[in-house]
């Protein structure tokens, strides 16, 4: 008669499986974040290599990925919840691989932009499915909080690695390699996913998809993010931006109205009243407004004012990236010991202080100031961001785990779009008077905008502290 395994053996097997699940989920999120930023350094080489004279600007190569990613996130989360998070995760990885091949072997600007857009669509399914799988695999509590800390570190590592790796690959292997490198990585993670991930989905809900909600959400999000990110380039009163705003505002308003009345809603409005989910998403938007705007200003300062190349600029941000990665690994333990509210508030205060160090950007020799300020900022930012991720996913219903993950991702994308658009407009206003001093003054005021967003996050956190303390159900 076969002897039953001992409790210690069972626990060891569970921990081993959870370890590999975490490797797969965090590894793919690293890849999603990496492809967000890896293209920036390669853009000049792409412009030289391909004929963009037909009117399809190289800027679309940069914006196609985030636009598609943001537009399809809510759909990706709900499809994963309804039809199986592992199934959606693996099929989306296959889609990401094919899209990377299309971009890497592109024969025209249109095929390259199509590849980038399809990468964004696939990533919009991978990200929420992965976060839903993590929540299903690891029970709510200290263990999940530590796992989410590692997850946040993987995202930070991916974004920073993209800035550095993009320069290295473009320099030594050509711009096509920034896409083709995804192929072997996705193959490895796909095989690991099949072997180690467990299927999970909403077994109580009808598989009828809220098609109306999908159409409104996708249309509204793509139009809104396009208007925010491209407003400065086209002009805030130009026809493309005004048309996008005319589409986005009613689409988002209709989405909220429809979702509040549907039984099988893509995103039920009630989810924002559960635990700290609504509060976490609001604070996340403000955090990313501050952080994204700051990074944009500092990139301009380092490259155009201090004359640093793209790769040295990426390496400068890599210092704060390493700090964020190490801090993220321990962020879950901070939450476990001191509680969500205290850790979140402390993280935002430290993040704000980091920006304040840099608001008086000097005329010259500002590299040391940037290194110190971004290092302090990264320490506080990753603590705050992981805490909002924990708050934004804890308490979600079993059948809405991927949806909750999608919402956090949407909040991050909205925050990035709003933050960059605001600081760009402020910097451009001052630069319009002409001269390097006016441009520098514009960047200083733009950094003050990042401070205002961070202070807004502090005030919001304090006002909603009962939700972060778990006193409001």
């Amino acid at each position: 008669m076969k002897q039953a395994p001992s409790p210690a053996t069972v626990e060891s097997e569970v921990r081993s499986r959870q370890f590999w699940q975490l490797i797969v989920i965090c590894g793919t999120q690293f890849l999603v974040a990496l492809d967000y930023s890896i293209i920036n350094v390669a853009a000049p080489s792409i412009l030289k290599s391909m004929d963009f004279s037909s009117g399809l600007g190289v800027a679309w190569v940069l914006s196609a990925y985030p636009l598609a990613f943001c537009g399809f996130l809510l759909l990706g989360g709900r499809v994963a919840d309804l039809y199986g998070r592992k199934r959606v995760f693996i099929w989306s990885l296959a889609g990401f691989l094919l899209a990377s091949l299309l971009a890497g072997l592109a024969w025209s600007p249109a095929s390259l932009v199509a590849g980038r857009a399809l990468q964004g669509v696939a990533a919009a399914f991978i990200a929420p499915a992965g976060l839903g799988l993590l929540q299903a695999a690891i029970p709510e509590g200290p263990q999940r909080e530590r796992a989410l800390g590692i997850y946040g570190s993987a995202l930070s590592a991916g974004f920073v690695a993209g800035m550095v790796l993009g320069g290295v690959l473009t320099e030594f292997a050509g711009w096509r390699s920034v896409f083709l490198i995804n192929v072997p990585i996705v193959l490895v993670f796909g095989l690991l996913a099949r072997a180690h991930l467990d299927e999970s989905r909403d077994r109580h809900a009808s598989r009828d998809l809220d098609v109306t909600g999908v159409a409104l959400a996708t249309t509204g999000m793509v139009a809104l993010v396009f208007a925010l990110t491209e407003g400065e380039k086209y002009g805030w009163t130009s026809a493309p931006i005004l048309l996008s705003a005319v589409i986005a505002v009613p689409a988002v308003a209709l989405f909220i109205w429809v979702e509040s009345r549907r039984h099988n809603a893509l995103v039920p409005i009630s989810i924002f009243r559960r635990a700290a989910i609504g509060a976490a998403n609001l604070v996340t938007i403000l955090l990313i407004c501050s952080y994204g705007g700051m990074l944009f200003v500092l990139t301009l300062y380092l490259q155009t004012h201090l004359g640093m190349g793209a790769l040295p600029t990426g390496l400068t941000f890599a210092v704060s990236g390493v700090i964020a990665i190490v801090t993220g690994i321990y962020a879950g333990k901070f939450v476990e010991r001191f509680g969500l509210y205290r850790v979140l508030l402390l993280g935002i205060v430290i993040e704000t202080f980091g920006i304040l160090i840099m608001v008086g950007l000097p005329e010259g020799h500002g590299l040391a100031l940037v290194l110190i300020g971004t290092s302090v900022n990264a320490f506080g930012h990753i603590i705050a961001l992981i805490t909002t991720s924990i708050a934004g996913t804890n308490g979600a219903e079993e059948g809405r785990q991927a949806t909750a993950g999608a919402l956090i991702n949407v909040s991050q994308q909205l925050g990035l779009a709003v933050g960059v658009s605001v600081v760009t407009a402020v910097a451009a206003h001052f630069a319009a008077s002409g001269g390097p001093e006016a441009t520098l003054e514009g960047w200083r005021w733009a950094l003050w905008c990042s401070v205002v967003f961070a202070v807004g996050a502090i005030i919001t956190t304090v006002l909603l502290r009962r939700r972060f303390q778990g006193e409001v159900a």
Side-chain angles (χ1 to χ4, degrees):
M1 185 175 179
K2 189 176 180 180
Q3 187 176 5
S6 67
T9 302
V10 172
E11 184 180 354
S12 176
E13 291 176 353
V14 170
R15 287 186 177 276
S16 175
R17 191 162 185 81
Q18 287 179 342
F19 169 79
W20 283 107
Q21 289 171 335
L22 194 59
I23 289 291
V24 173
I25 293 166
C26 291
T28 51
Q29 305 313 306
F30 173 92
L31 188 64
V32 167
L34 180 140
D35 271 78
Y36 202 102
S37 60
I38 197 171
I39 192 65
N40 294 335
V41 179
S45 296
I46 294 173
L47 183 60
K48 291 177 183 177
S49 173
M50 304 198 90
D51 179 19
F52 281 89
S53 59
S54 61
L56 187 66
V58 72
W60 278 103
V61 180
L62 301 176
S63 58
Y65 184 93
L67 281 173
F69 181 57
C70 192
F72 285 88
L73 269 169
L74 294 178
L75 174 61
R78 191 55 184 151
V79 168
D81 280 333
L82 288 179
Y83 299 101
R85 298 172 188 119
K86 178 180 178 179
R87 179 185 302 171
V88 169
F89 187 81
I90 291 175
W91 278 105
S92 301
L93 281 176
F96 195 87
L97 185 151
L98 293 175
S100 298
L101 273 175
L102 174 59
L105 302 176
W107 58 92
S108 67
S111 61
L112 178 56
V113 171
R116 280 292 285 171
L118 290 173
Q119 276 187 317
V121 173
F125 285 76
I126 293 170
L131 195 49
L133 284 165
L134 186 150
Q135 294 175 79
I138 302 176
E140 191 171 311
Q143 192 177 359
R144 185 190 290 179
E145 290 166 359
R146 288 193 291 270
L148 285 170
I150 297 171
Y151 177 90
S153 293
L155 288 175
S156 295
F159 189 82
V160 173
M163 298 174 70
V164 179
L165 189 60
V168 174
L169 288 173
T170 303
E171 180 73 22
F172 296 104
W175 65 264
R176 293 181 185 273
S177 63
V178 304
F179 303 112
L180 296 177
I181 194 175
N182 293 333
V183 175
I185 298 174
V186 171
L187 281 173
V188 170
F189 281 122
L191 293 173
L192 289 174
R194 288 197 60 172
H196 296 287
L197 295 181
D198 297 321
E199 187 58 281
S200 64
R201 66 177 180 86
D202 186 353
R203 300 186 182 278
H204 305 292
S206 165
R207 292 199 180 188
D208 294 334
L209 194 62
D210 177 14
V211 178
T212 304
V214 169
L216 289 172
T218 303
T219 302
M221 291 303 300
V222 170
L224 178 61
V225 173
F226 175 80
L228 290 171
T229 55
E230 305 297 322
E232 187 61 35
K233 183 175 74 175
Y234 287 98
W236 292 104
T237 58
S238 64
I241 301 305
L242 291 177
L243 179 60
S244 296
V246 168
I247 294 172
V249 173
V252 172
L254 271 174
F255 175 75
I256 296 171
W257 184 80
V258 168
E259 296 303 279
S260 65
R261 287 160 173 78
R262 293 184 75 93
H263 175 68
N264 64 328
L266 181 66
V267 181
I269 303 303
S270 60
I271 196 173
F272 294 103
R273 295 192 290 267
R274 294 185 62 85
I277 291 178
N281 279 275
L282 180 56
V283 173
T284 296
I285 292 173
L286 292 168
L287 283 175
I288 302 298
C289 280
S290 174
Y291 186 72
M294 178 202 72
L295 282 184
F296 182 79
V297 171
L298 294 179
T299 301
L300 291 176
Y301 174 72
L302 293 174
Q303 291 189 338
T304 64
H305 191 77
L306 297 187
M308 295 174 61
L311 185 55
T313 300
L315 291 172
T316 300
F317 289 123
V319 175
S320 60
V322 170
I323 292 173
I325 292 165
V326 175
T327 304
I329 294 172
Y330 296 97
K333 293 183 179 181
F334 297 157
V335 173
E336 179 184 348
R337 181 169 181 180
F338 300 107
L340 274 169
Y341 173 68
R342 290 180 180 177
V343 174
L344 175 58
L345 189 59
L346 178 64
I348 306 174
V349 169
I350 294 173
E351 177 177 2
T352 307
F353 181 67
I355 306 173
L356 285 170
I357 291 174
M358 300 179 287
V359 289
L361 288 173
E363 182 72 32
H365 308 292
L367 180 58
L369 188 72
V370 170
L371 284 170
I372 296 170
T374 53
S375 296
V376 174
N377 178 272
F379 178 77
H381 178 73
I382 196 65
I383 290 175
L385 195 63
I386 289 173
T387 307
T388 56
S389 296
I390 294 171
T393 52
N394 281 354
E397 299 173 1
E398 183 181 350
R400 291 286 182 174
Q401 290 169 332
T403 302
L407 284 171
I408 282 290
N409 276 281
V410 168
S411 296
Q412 292 172 357
Q413 298 307 309
L414 282 177
L416 186 63
V418 172
V420 171
S421 66
V422 169
V423 300
T424 301
V426 169
H429 172 74
F430 282 89
S433 60
E437 183 57 39
T439 300
L440 187 61
E441 189 66 17
W443 291 336
R444 290 167 181 160
W445 279 105
L447 285 179
W448 275 111
C449 291
S450 288
V451 171
V452 170
F453 282 127
V455 172
I458 293 173
I459 294 170
T460 303
T461 300
V462 172
L463 292 176
L464 299 176
R465 63 185 178 279
R466 292 181 60 201
R467 289 194 173 272
F468 292 112
Q469 290 169 340
E471 296 176 16
V472 179

